[in-house]
Amino acid sequence: GLNPQDWYLVLSNHQTWVDILVLQKVFHRKIPFLKFFLKKELIWVPLMGLAWWALDFPFMKRYSEAFLKKHPHLKGKDLETTRKACEKFKTLPISVMNFPEGTRLNPEKHDQQQSPFTNLLKPKAGGTSFVLSAMGDYLNAILNVTIAYPQENKSYWDFMCGRLTEIIVRVEVLPIPEDLIGDYSEDAAFRARFQDWINTLWAEKDRQLTELKRQAAGCSDMRLIA
């Protein structure tokens, strides 16, 4: 039921660089080419910055909290600048990819965060809210993706060497209700509501990953007995 002529926000858990290859493969020709929101400063990265610009990756300008304290008149300007940068996507369908965890999962990061989830890091709600606020008028749906690797070998090198032979991907199409679009930085009630929404999403994703691991372990036991 996906459409390459529609606009999507893709949210996924993140465990390895292989995730990006998996997502591009799964959604190839089903939705527009996946793109990431990038900090505006990254356009100056040699070679890569030019490549991202040529591929029309959306660049966003974000001001730090400390900067805004010194320049309060610039509050909201970052979102306004990003919205203007996204004007071209009114006529050009786009899929924005976002890993709410912000980084790849590993045991050290999980322990450091004291994550309440068994298989996930804490999601960062601000980035997701920023994308929805900047592009909510264009987006048709949220694609909630859960990627599971039943095998222990799941690094990019394992993938390249052919040792990664099983990957499970689940995709859920979610509507974008109006109450998910608001001012995350200034509206405390909205911020709490949005955090509750993404934490609920992550709790269900965590449950699914636990179930998929349990099923994979059961299959391995059966193969061993056989």
Side-chain angles (χ1 to χ4, degrees):
L2 302 179
N3 188 340
Q5 299 303 314
D6 279 346
W7 288 253
Y8 296 99
L9 170 60
V10 180
L11 302 180
S12 175
N13 59 311
H14 194 19
Q15 303 175 67
T16 166
W17 286 117
V18 180
D19 296 340
I20 297 173
L21 301 177
V22 170
L23 291 166
Q24 295 286 12
K25 172 64 176 176
V26 167
F27 290 121
H28 182 57
R29 295 189 176 181
K30 294 181 177 66
I31 64 176
F33 184 77
L34 291 170
K35 298 181 181 181
F36 300 81
F37 263 86
L38 300 168
K39 293 180 181 178
K40 195 169 184 180
E41 292 77 9
L42 292 178
I43 199 171
W44 303 111
V45 174
L47 299 179
M48 291 302 298
L50 185 60
W52 290 323
W53 172 82
L55 288 169
D56 252 343
F57 275 51
F59 287 89
M60 64 180 182
K61 188 172 183 62
R62 297 298 301 272
Y63 296 120
S64 67
E65 188 174 343
F67 182 85
L68 288 175
K69 284 182 179 179
K70 293 181 180 179
H71 308 276
H73 63 287
L74 292 176
K75 278 189 176 181
K77 287 290 184 181
D78 51 357
L79 186 57
E80 181 183 334
T81 300
T82 302
R83 281 199 180 114
K84 288 181 179 178
C86 294
E87 283 294 311
K88 69 182 75 174
F89 301 126
K90 284 184 177 180
T91 56
L92 177 68
I94 182 176
S95 298
V96 177
M97 179 64 237
N98 186 22
F99 294 119
E101 293 163 291
T103 184
R104 288 165 290 166
L105 170 71
N106 65 39
E108 292 77 21
K109 293 173 185 174
H110 188 273
D111 292 342
Q112 185 178 12
Q113 276 194 357
Q114 295 183 322
S115 175
F117 307 106
T118 303
N119 310 286
L120 301 163
L121 297 176
K122 296 177 182 178
K124 297 178 180 179
T128 303
S129 176
F130 188 87
V131 174
L132 285 171
S133 295
M135 296 192 62
D137 293 341
Y138 318 141
L139 297 170
N140 295 93
I142 295 171
L143 302 185
N144 177 32
V145 183
T146 303
I147 305 177
Y149 298 90
Q151 301 164 277
E152 289 298 322
N153 299 328
K154 58 186 179 184
S155 70
Y156 183 76
W157 184 245
D158 289 323
F159 176 78
M160 294 299 292
C161 293
R163 292 192 290 263
L164 180 53
T165 58
E166 186 178 5
I167 304 171
I168 301 170
V169 183
R170 289 185 174 178
V171 182
E172 180 184 15
V173 182
L174 302 176
I176 304 176
E178 290 184 4
D179 63 356
L180 282 186
I181 299 175
D183 190 341
Y184 187 87
S185 59
E186 295 295 321
D187 187 337
F190 170 77
R191 183 165 58 249
R193 187 167 66 247
F194 196 93
Q195 289 172 346
D196 285 344
W197 173 79
I198 201 166
N199 281 324
T200 300
L201 200 69
W202 238 238
E204 173 58 21
K205 192 181 296 291
D206 195 41
R207 187 199 65 78
Q208 285 191 32
L209 286 166
T210 297
E211 178 63 18
L212 290 170
K213 285 183 177 181
R214 186 192 65 79
Q215 292 175 4
C219 289
S220 296
D221 291 342
M222 290 302 292
R223 286 195 294 267
L224 185 61
I225 292 170

